[in-house]
Amino acid sequence: MNYIDDDLLQYSDWRGQPFLREEVAQFLTYYCKAPAPLDPENVVVLNGCSSVFSALAMVLCDPGEAFLVPTPTYSGFVFSTHLYAKVDLVPVNLESQVSDANTHPFQLTVDKLEQALFNAKLEGKKVRGLVLINPQNPLGHIYSQDSLMEYLEFAKKYSLHVIIDEIYMLSVFDESVTFRSVLSMESLPDPNKTHMIWGTSKDFGISGFRFGTLYTHNKEVALAMSSFGYLHGISGITQYKLHRLLQDREWIDNVYLPTNRSRLQEAHKFITNELKSSKIPFLSHGSGLYIWINLRKYLDPCTFEDELLLHRRFLDKKLILSCGKTFMCKEPGWFRLVFAATPLLLKHAMQRFYTVLVEQEQDWVVKQLEDAINQEVEDLPASDASQSYSRGVILTSGLEGCCSDLGL
């Protein structure tokens, strides 16, 4: 991997070096279980999946047009679509509550897609596509092949492009869960409007390599995307290293993936056991590097303002738990907890996590006591209240007096 040829130091094909695109096509054919070999001419390589997504938004849309996106969703989409393309995101709001219409929390249905598209048209927005993440971020949910086909049929019905981000496809660690890539589907409803994104930042933990790839059956889209390599290309040396990495299937299959999945399983088990013992609700579907947790009981009132305050409280303890509003979640109180870390680091992190929640509860108790005291004073007749103050009567909570008993 440390080999450097003179050719690697020159300008390369804007779509990516031919040897890397060929390897990416073979890699995706193998790991996505494509029914037929994928074409290297349909591969575009840029410096990261965000660059791919941003460029794709410019290719598929005019400024002011929009994509449908089920929420909660990855927050980077908002930045990527607005930075260059000025493309809007129309949220398809999903609910946590289970009902007849929702057999599981945050379930995406065609009815919800239809309603969001209808509302967007009423607002005068031109929707050009649907954006999906599979496995989903931040929920960790994996779309079944039947559900995925329904979403693709919906998109074809309204002549929408479908962008599917599969950046966590090799980070499915629950053996009972089956992931099916869109590239594995033998008959796509509209192949020319189906575009898949993948990169090595998550599955291989090498985000600093800045590698993202697009696979599209639409050669016009691939050609248009290739021009962005002028601004968002990858160095030849990095492309060579990536080529060698993706080529080593024996190491990936027999060493890397089993080890990575085992570590994710161990970390996931530790975190979920901790959350269960603390009676903190969470969603987890055996994929991704994160868990979607519900901290609504620690918010009073349960608002996005209080959610942000709790987020900042975590930051004060050197913990980053992204709050739900960042993911365009319509319900306050949800946070994404990333667990992909070493056991020792996770142990220290959870100690800080509990410290924040204890402080949050203590402040809540103090606030309730102060509110109750203030209410009692307000309810006193004016003469009694003035007499109390004139006699130097001071009401304080137990915590203000350093009392260890919360009831005093």
Side-chain angles (χ1 to χ4, degrees):
M1 289 181 72
N2 291 326
Y3 170 80
I4 298 178
D5 184 81
D6 290 345
D7 289 343
L8 298 178
L9 304 179
Q10 310 304 315
Y11 290 123
S12 64
D13 189 322
W14 287 354
R15 292 173 295 175
Q17 290 277 15
F19 61 75
L20 178 57
R21 288 188 288 111
E22 289 173 8
E23 193 58 52
V24 168
Q26 293 178 28
F27 182 91
L28 294 180
T29 298
Y30 178 75
Y31 286 103
C32 296
K33 297 180 172 57
L38 300 177
D39 187 353
E41 294 302 307
N42 295 339
V43 174
V44 178
V45 170
L46 298 177
N47 61 342
C49 290
S50 292
S51 294
V52 172
F53 183 77
S54 182
L56 195 54
M58 291 192 70
V59 168
L60 301 181
C61 302
D62 288 327
E65 294 180 341
F67 288 141
L68 293 179
V69 57
T71 60
T73 190
Y74 171 56
S75 58
F77 285 158
V78 178
F79 179 76
S80 300
T81 52
H82 281 82
L83 182 62
Y84 293 152
K86 308 303 179 188
V87 170
D88 294 329
L89 294 179
V90 175
V92 183
N93 293 315
L94 308 181
E95 305 85 25
S96 63
Q97 187 173 0
V98 176
S99 63
D100 292 339
N102 294 321
T103 58
H104 58 265
F106 298 104
Q107 183 179 9
L108 177 62
T109 65
V110 172
D111 287 343
K112 294 173 185 176
L113 291 171
E114 297 263 10
Q115 187 61 52
L117 181 61
F118 177 75
N119 293 339
K121 289 182 177 180
L122 286 180
E123 296 174 5
K125 293 182 179 179
K126 185 174 183 179
V127 176
R128 296 301 302 273
L130 167 65
V131 179
L132 299 173
I133 309 175
N134 192 30
Q136 217 273 356
N137 177 15
L139 304 177
H141 178 68
I142 294 176
Y143 297 124
S144 68
Q145 188 169 18
D146 290 341
S147 295
L148 196 54
M149 182 61 75
E150 290 179 3
Y151 309 148
L152 294 172
E153 291 284 4
F154 157 82
K156 181 181 180 180
K157 178 181 177 181
Y158 294 100
S159 191
L160 302 178
H161 288 270
V162 180
I163 302 171
I164 302 184
D165 184 339
E166 297 186 359
I167 196 168
Y168 293 99
M169 72 174 185
L170 298 181
S171 298
V172 179
F173 54 85
D174 188 337
E175 296 178 356
S176 66
V177 176
T178 301
F179 168 78
R180 295 293 299 271
S181 169
V182 70
L183 297 181
S184 71
M185 301 173 72
E186 293 189 14
S187 180
L188 292 171
D190 195 346
N192 279 332
K193 290 188 175 181
T194 304
H195 319 285
M196 181 267 205
I197 296 174
W198 180 77
T200 53
S201 293
K202 312 303 181 185
D203 287 337
F204 285 91
I206 49 174
S207 55
F209 267 50
R210 307 310 307 131
F211 165 76
T213 188
L214 168 74
Y215 191 87
T216 175
H217 297 284
N218 190 322
K219 294 191 182 298
E220 290 184 357
V221 170
L223 181 62
M225 286 287 294
S226 66
S227 63
F228 288 90
Y230 180 73
L231 297 174
H232 298 286
I234 312 173
S235 77
I237 296 173
T238 300
Q239 292 193 52
Y240 179 78
K241 290 179 182 291
L242 287 164
H243 155 70
R244 295 295 293 170
L245 169 64
L246 300 181
Q247 192 178 53
D248 197 350
R249 307 278 167 70
E250 182 179 353
W251 176 78
I252 293 173
D253 283 342
N254 299 324
V255 179
Y256 177 72
L257 287 180
T259 303
N260 189 46
R261 287 168 181 159
S262 175
R263 291 175 179 173
L264 288 176
Q265 287 172 353
E266 181 183 357
H268 178 266
K269 182 179 180 180
F270 171 78
I271 289 295
T272 53
N273 285 341
E274 291 287 318
L275 295 174
K276 288 175 183 176
S277 66
S278 301
K279 295 182 172 54
I280 296 175
F282 64 90
L283 297 180
S284 179
H285 301 280
S287 65
L289 315 178
Y290 38 77
I291 295 178
W292 192 235
I293 65 174
N294 187 344
L295 298 180
R296 296 185 65 177
K297 67 180 180 181
Y298 295 97
L299 302 181
D300 183 35
C302 186
T303 64
F304 285 115
E305 289 76 13
D306 279 59
E307 177 185 273
L308 182 59
L309 291 175
L310 181 55
H311 165 73
R312 290 172 176 167
R313 186 161 230 160
F314 283 125
L315 287 179
D316 290 340
K317 298 295 183 183
K318 308 297 188 225
L319 293 176
I320 300 178
L321 274 79
S322 301
C323 49
K325 190 173 183 180
T326 305
F327 299 94
M328 301 172 65
C329 183
K330 76 169 190 175
E331 302 175 8
W334 290 90
F335 289 78
R336 189 187 71 169
L337 187 156
V338 177
F339 62 84
T342 61
L344 182 60
L345 188 62
L346 286 178
K347 183 178 179 180
H348 289 321
M350 290 307 291
Q351 289 172 350
R352 298 183 187 187
F353 176 79
Y354 293 135
T355 298
V356 170
L357 296 186
V358 169
E359 290 177 354
Q360 184 81 355
E361 286 186 312
Q362 288 177 344
D363 286 356
W364 189 10
V365 171
V366 171
K367 183 178 181 299
Q368 287 180 319
L369 288 170
E370 290 176 345
D371 289 344
I373 292 167
N374 291 335
Q375 186 62 48
E376 287 182 8
V377 172
E378 289 178 5
D379 291 342
L380 286 173
S383 58
D384 292 346
S386 60
Q387 288 178 9
S388 296
Y389 285 121
S390 66
R391 293 170 184 167
V393 176
I394 301 175
L395 301 176
T396 62
S397 68
L399 285 176
E400 245 181 289
C402 301
C403 180
S404 61
D405 191 337
L406 293 180
L408 298 178

